[in-house]
Amino acid sequence: MPVINLETKIDAPIERVFDLACSIDLHQRSMNHNQERAVGGLTSGLIDLGQTVTWEAVHFGIRQRLTSKITICDRPTHLQDIMVKGAFAHFTHDHYLSGIDTGTLMKDRFDFSSPLWPLGTIADVLFLTRYMTGLLEKRNEVIKQTAESGDWRQFLI
């Protein structure tokens, strides 16, 4: 089972970074390169504990849907979403935030596995872990750029 761990230092207050991580609208902006959009559940604003969102996106040339649910929302230090329906066998995505001298340290832990063992395991090793790491890095970069600029206001006010 692959686990992706990332750390992103963001020069912004922890509450702002947490709220941006909860923003459906910012998520869509960060994933516009694969046409990702919210099509069910909460489709705009800030997602909260117990809420779901269904995402539709194009990955590997195939339009897919995935529904995730917020299972932990401990503002401003921990946000967890899990897949409740979609192409993975499972995934759990944790966002851990802590205050540091320069702002916020955001740590992501993305634990996932593909269906169709053993073929899914081979796909995880050969390309899916690298692909998912790239998506998470892109999303974190958009959160960072937005939090550190005046752009955050359009997502939180």
Side-chain angles (χ1 to χ4, degrees):
M1 212 173 342
V3 176
I4 299 167
N5 289 292
L6 299 174
E7 288 190 4
T8 307
K9 293 179 182 174
I10 302 172
D11 186 18
I14 190 172
E15 293 84 1
R16 180 187 305 164
V17 176
F18 184 88
D19 290 347
L20 289 171
C22 292
S23 172
I24 300 294
D25 305 296
L26 184 61
H27 181 95
Q28 289 179 119
R29 176 186 279 186
S30 70
M31 295 290 133
N32 64 7
H33 60 282
N34 57 350
Q35 304 166 31
E36 189 157 339
R37 61 191 181 100
V39 296
L42 187 71
T43 59
S44 186
L46 303 182
I47 198 160
D48 204 349
L49 184 64
Q51 293 181 311
T52 63
V53 58
T54 299
W55 300 103
E56 183 178 88
V58 176
H59 298 283
F60 306 109
I62 302 167
R63 184 163 303 282
Q64 301 177 39
R65 285 193 175 201
L66 181 143
T67 301
S68 63
K69 180 177 183 175
I70 302 300
T71 53
I72 298 173
C73 190
D74 186 13
R75 185 180 191 267
T77 59
H78 187 195
L79 179 71
Q80 180 185 78
D81 61 288
I82 63 167
M83 184 196 73
V84 294
K85 184 177 181 183
F88 291 97
H90 92 277
F91 87 57
T92 302
H93 185 186
D94 287 284
H95 312 259
Y96 298 100
L97 294 94
S98 57
I100 57 174
D101 289 343
T102 58
T104 304
L105 177 62
M106 181 171 67
K107 295 181 180 181
D108 286 86
R109 183 179 192 280
F110 188 78
D111 176 2
F112 73 99
S113 63
S114 297
L116 304 174
W117 185 89
L119 296 177
T121 302
I122 294 168
D124 291 345
V125 170
L126 291 180
F127 64 89
L128 197 54
T129 300
R130 184 172 51 248
Y131 180 78
M132 294 306 298
T133 299
L135 287 179
L136 292 169
E137 288 172 341
K138 170 69 173 162
R139 173 161 162 65
N140 288 354
E141 184 58 30
V142 170
I143 291 173
K144 176 179 173 64
Q145 289 175 357
T146 303
E148 292 178 348
S149 71
D151 291 347
W152 64 270
R153 289 178 180 86
Q154 67 183 301
F155 298 100
L156 302 182
I157 296 178

